[in-house]
Amino acid sequence: MPFSSAKPAVLESLVAGMEEGRSIGIDLGTTYSCVAAWKHERIEIIPNYQGNRTTPSQVAFTDTHRLIGDAAKNQVANNPFNTVFDSKRLIGCKFSDPTVQSDMAYWPFKVVPGSDDKPMIAVSYRGEEKEFSAEEISSMVLTMMKDIAEAYLGSTVKNAVVTVPAYFNDSQRQATVAAGAIAGLNIVRIINEPTAAAIAYYLDKGAASHVAKNVLIFDLGGGTFDVSVATIEANVIEVKAIAGDTHLGGQDMDNIMVNHFVKEFERKTGKDISGNARAMRRLRNACERAKRVLSSDFETPIEIESLIDGIDLFSTIRRAKFDDINMGLFNKCMELVEKCVSDAKMEKSSVDEVVLVGGCSRIPKLQEMLKEFFNGKEVLKTINPDEAVARGAAVLAAKLSGEGNDNLEKLVLFEVTPLSLGIEVDGDRMSVFIPRNTPIPTRKEKILKTAGDNQTRALFAVYEGERSKITENNLLGEFKLHGIPLAPRGVATFKMCFDIDENGILNVSAEHVGTGLKNEITITNNKGRLSNKEIERMIRDAKKYKLEDEKFKEKIEARSYLEDYAYNSRNTIRSAAKITAKDKKKMEDAFESFTKWLECNKHAEADDFKQKMKELETIFNPIITKMN
């Protein structure tokens, strides 16, 4: 299976000794995340604390505490500058990347450049200005997924299979592994999202079938789009080709809708709301809801009272208009579908099933375009598109941990490389060793020659990507070979070898032919990544933030317990038939004093509330005892 290249040594050491405990599968999504595990002899999607089967991938910071998931999403309109979403679109990227610069125009929170051009998210937390990396924000979401799973399973969770878009590059995959380490999870595998969906299909449809089926997975989520073609026969899943775009999803459709209504509002009222973060956030929420409604209805209202300066936005959007303004994105999806089928060396008629994954795959126009592309073939809607990826990840987690049944144990998975791998030659040219969509494990060798006279050393720079110009691809790592015997240009030769094992770990070696002089590298690509010290600091910070969250929870529970006791006691005494006027006045005075104290001590700590509880008990309990 092609996952990220080798896990950095620092991550290996940080997660060492953490393998004891249950294993789970996590779909770490751009907009929503989902967690699943093996329980009751089947894969179960684990509901969060609100009972929802998916959790918003959002983190909010306030003057008193931190909120994650539904709690963060519910307060975003009132706290737009300190509510972080879309962190997956920043993970493993550079601040200067065009996609980052483009997205920043739609984010109310601030993104600033950090060291090595790393994007940092700046927020106000507990009265201080803080900067967090995308890995840290993602780790907070992963921590919540871990906590949700532990509460549901009733046991400690240490290991996880986490999914990523198929077209995530090595840096983005490694950053996801780092996020897991910060969250205290041992990420045993990183698996491509459409491959996880193929596993879910196998579990639902293919485990009992011995007839080979070619399945196309159409995975359109909140931030990314992936499409893959896999052949499923008996207990074998063989991925034939993958294609995708790490910057194409429901968020882009929301952006287009927001722009549409910003222009409409300005045309009708003369007011430009684009500079008002709160108004833009409220409009975005309304557009996201409308997008969901249009999957089942032909039109829906957009109604926001007092959007800006007391002016309301009352409008309507029809499904036809939504399709029209987003047709460019829909066409791009279909181009990638066509490319994937072509790369799999198949005819459209050879595809037996089209499986929809991701919330945006529910869009009727896209389903219609897929049906037309595949000559009238109906798309498969029996698998839950929001849960399929997490379900597939949990299958692999259960298989790796030995928790599953025979069907899971027999499952064999063959993946492909998502991007071409090669080295720099002739100054600025990419020499491809392993083309994209090559089945793995694989091993490729080439003979290279020196580029200059009397060369005594050679630098080998390893890249991934599809561009012929090397600098437009992604540098994975580099190594040198020293002590080459003097010789004219082109005389000295090297045997270069690229080797990817079944876990997707890439080893690159170069050997001088004649002397046996050799050097090699296991790609870890530390460039632009978190350093050892940064990861260690973030793990410490994560523990500190969790303690702060627990302390805040304890305070809220202590206050709630105190208020319940005070009000219940007051009501009990007031409604009692046998109570003296003296005791009643004593109770009323104590209760009035308590409410005033509560008003003046909104930020009191748990111990203060417990102490106040003792004071009330000394007054109320004797009166209640006397009554009884």
Side-chain angles (χ1 to χ4, degrees):
M1 303 177 57
F3 312 110
S4 170
S5 47
K7 196 183 293 182
V10 63
L11 296 183
E12 292 284 14
S13 64
L14 289 172
V15 300
M18 296 172 59
E19 288 74 16
E20 293 298 324
R22 295 294 302 276
S23 295
I24 57 175
I26 300 176
D27 172 12
L28 181 62
T30 307
T31 51
Y32 285 87
S33 293
C34 186
V35 59
W38 180 263
K39 190 177 182 182
H40 301 137
E41 292 302 305
R42 65 177 185 268
I43 295 295
E44 293 195 0
I45 299 295
I46 302 175
N48 63 19
Y49 302 126
Q50 287 73 34
N52 300 321
R53 291 163 73 88
T54 59
T55 299
S57 302
Q58 297 192 18
V59 181
F61 301 90
T62 74
D63 289 337
T64 56
H65 60 296
R66 180 183 64 163
L67 301 166
I68 306 172
D70 290 294
K73 183 179 175 69
N74 292 340
Q75 54 81 72
V76 63
N78 295 321
N79 186 28
F81 298 110
N82 298 305
T83 303
V84 182
F85 55 95
D86 280 4
S87 64
K88 186 173 175 179
R89 285 197 156 182
L90 286 172
I91 201 163
C93 297
K94 297 177 181 178
F95 179 80
S96 58
D97 286 348
T99 54
V100 172
Q101 294 299 310
S102 172
D103 282 337
M104 283 169 57
Y106 296 98
W107 291 330
F109 53 87
K110 190 188 301 181
V111 180
V112 297
S115 59
D116 296 327
D117 199 28
K118 189 176 184 65
M120 299 296 289
I121 299 158
V123 295
S124 176
Y125 177 43
R126 297 172 71 93
E128 296 180 20
E129 292 300 314
K130 294 270 190 180
E131 290 185 3
F132 295 98
S133 66
E135 289 91 334
E136 285 180 282
I137 299 297
S138 293
S139 77
M140 295 173 190
V141 177
L142 286 172
T143 297
M144 169 158 263
M145 296 294 100
K146 177 177 180 283
D147 292 345
I148 289 168
E150 288 181 334
Y152 184 79
L153 297 172
S155 60
T156 302
V157 169
K158 291 295 183 183
N159 305 314
V161 171
V162 177
T163 62
V164 296
Y167 254 52
F168 252 24
N169 64 30
D170 188 77
S171 294
Q172 291 168 309
R173 291 165 186 263
Q174 291 286 12
T176 304
V177 175
I182 296 166
L185 280 170
N186 175 31
I187 297 187
V188 291
R189 289 285 170 88
I190 291 288
I191 181 175
N192 293 331
E193 288 167 4
T195 303
I199 296 174
Y201 172 87
Y202 158 82
L203 197 66
D204 188 57
K205 298 287 184 183
S209 174
H210 291 276
V211 178
K213 281 191 175 182
N214 295 322
V215 179
L216 182 132
I217 309 292
F218 182 93
D219 182 1
L220 183 59
T224 59
F225 172 63
D226 286 313
V227 58
S228 71
V229 173
T231 299
I232 300 175
E233 182 177 7
N235 59 342
V236 177
I237 299 174
E238 184 178 358
V239 178
K240 295 293 187 180
I242 57 177
D245 190 326
T246 58
H247 211 269
L248 171 59
Q251 296 287 67
D252 301 292
M253 299 174 201
D254 296 343
N255 292 343
I256 289 172
M257 288 180 72
V258 167
N259 287 339
H260 170 76
F261 284 107
V262 166
K263 291 175 182 176
E264 180 185 293
F265 190 76
E266 185 174 12
R267 189 172 63 251
K268 290 180 178 179
T269 67
K271 297 282 186 180
D272 180 10
I273 69 166
S274 59
N276 187 309
R278 187 169 184 270
M280 289 291 284
R281 185 64 244 184
R282 293 177 68 201
L283 177 57
R284 175 175 289 278
N285 286 348
C287 288
E288 184 185 352
R289 286 193 298 271
K291 177 184 66 181
R292 293 171 183 269
V293 172
L294 289 174
S295 290
S296 55
D297 295 343
F298 287 98
E299 70 174 23
T300 184
I302 299 282
E303 298 180 350
I304 308 174
E305 292 184 358
S306 190
L307 181 60
I308 191 170
D309 297 338
I311 304 173
D312 304 329
L313 167 62
F314 291 132
S315 187
T316 300
I317 185 166
R318 294 185 59 82
R319 184 189 289 176
K321 183 63 178 178
F322 173 82
D323 293 344
D324 180 59
I325 62 178
N326 286 294
M327 190 53 67
L329 298 179
F330 297 168
N331 286 333
K332 194 170 184 181
C333 289
M334 296 311 300
E335 287 169 11
L336 290 167
V337 168
E338 186 174 9
K339 179 173 181 285
C340 189
V341 173
S342 174
D343 287 347
K345 297 178 174 56
M346 287 185 189
E347 297 295 326
K348 290 188 289 185
S349 57
S350 300
V351 175
D352 300 299
E353 295 272 22
V354 178
V355 179
L356 301 179
V357 180
C360 290
S361 67
R362 292 187 173 94
I363 294 172
K365 185 63 177 179
L366 278 170
Q367 295 181 4
E368 179 187 315
M369 292 170 77
L370 280 167
K371 182 178 178 180
E372 183 181 340
F373 179 82
F374 286 104
N375 304 321
K377 184 183 297 296
E378 294 289 344
V379 296
L380 185 72
K381 300 179 183 179
T382 57
I383 295 176
N384 188 315
D386 300 319
E387 302 172 1
V389 172
R391 193 177 293 278
V395 169
L396 186 56
K399 173 181 169 59
L400 294 173
S401 64
E403 296 176 6
N405 59 18
D406 287 345
N407 278 340
L408 268 62
E409 289 303 312
K410 292 175 183 175
L411 177 63
V412 179
L413 188 59
F414 294 103
E415 272 264 35
V416 295
T417 55
L419 295 167
S420 299
L421 299 163
I423 64 165
E424 179 181 3
V425 295
D426 300 334
D428 194 21
R429 186 170 63 85
M430 171 89 155
S431 175
V432 174
F433 274 67
I434 300 178
R436 64 185 175 85
N437 289 324
T438 297
I440 63 168
T442 188
R443 178 185 175 90
K444 296 291 174 67
E445 291 184 352
K446 281 186 181 181
I447 298 296
L448 303 177
K449 297 180 180 181
T450 50
D453 292 333
N454 300 321
Q455 216 176 299
T456 60
R457 64 175 187 168
L459 173 67
F460 299 95
V462 183
Y463 285 81
E464 64 178 359
E466 307 308 318
R467 306 297 293 271
S468 57
K469 191 175 182 182
I470 200 75
T471 51
E472 293 175 344
N473 292 323
N474 183 43
L475 176 65
L476 296 179
E478 54 189 23
F479 64 98
K480 294 177 181 177
L481 203 58
H482 292 277
I484 302 168
L486 298 176
R489 172 183 172 174
V491 173
T493 57
F494 310 92
K495 183 168 70 173
M496 191 92 185
C497 177
F498 275 57
D499 192 331
I500 306 179
D501 69 11
E502 65 276 5
N503 289 321
I505 295 176
L506 170 62
N507 286 281
V508 182
S509 65
E511 180 181 349
H512 178 252
V513 178
T515 64
L517 189 68
K518 186 176 181 180
N519 198 2
E520 62 184 347
I521 184 173
T522 298
I523 298 299
T524 57
N525 185 22
N526 293 317
K527 184 179 179 182
R529 292 219 189 117
L530 299 173
S531 68
N532 296 9
K533 286 186 177 180
E534 285 176 318
I535 293 177
E536 289 164 358
R537 174 189 63 76
M538 289 177 185
I539 290 174
R540 289 195 301 270
D541 285 349
K543 291 177 180 176
K544 181 184 76 173
Y545 297 139
K546 190 168 186 179
L547 286 173
E548 288 175 355
D549 291 347
E550 289 171 354
K551 189 176 180 181
F552 181 78
K553 183 182 178 183
E554 182 188 4
K555 180 174 78 171
I556 295 300
E557 288 176 348
R559 175 175 176 144
S560 178
Y561 191 53
L562 170 62
E563 288 183 290
D564 287 346
Y565 172 78
Y567 280 91
N568 290 338
S569 298
R570 182 201 65 173
N571 294 339
T572 299
I573 295 170
R574 275 183 178 176
S575 61
K578 298 179 180 180
I579 182 172
T580 65
K582 181 180 178 182
D583 281 343
K584 187 173 183 180
K585 185 176 186 309
K586 188 177 181 181
M587 179 275 295
E588 294 289 359
D589 289 346
F591 185 81
E592 184 180 352
S593 174
F594 157 72
T595 55
K596 288 179 180 177
W597 178 89
L598 204 60
E599 183 65 28
C600 297
N601 292 272
K602 292 180 179 178
H603 301 296
E605 297 300 325
D607 289 342
D608 299 320
F609 292 122
K610 290 174 183 176
Q611 181 60 40
K612 180 57 66 173
M613 180 79 160
K614 290 178 182 177
E615 292 175 15
L616 285 182
E617 285 175 337
T618 59
I619 299 171
F620 290 166
N621 285 0
I623 298 174
I624 293 171
T625 301
K626 193 187 297 183
M627 286 163 39
N628 295 333

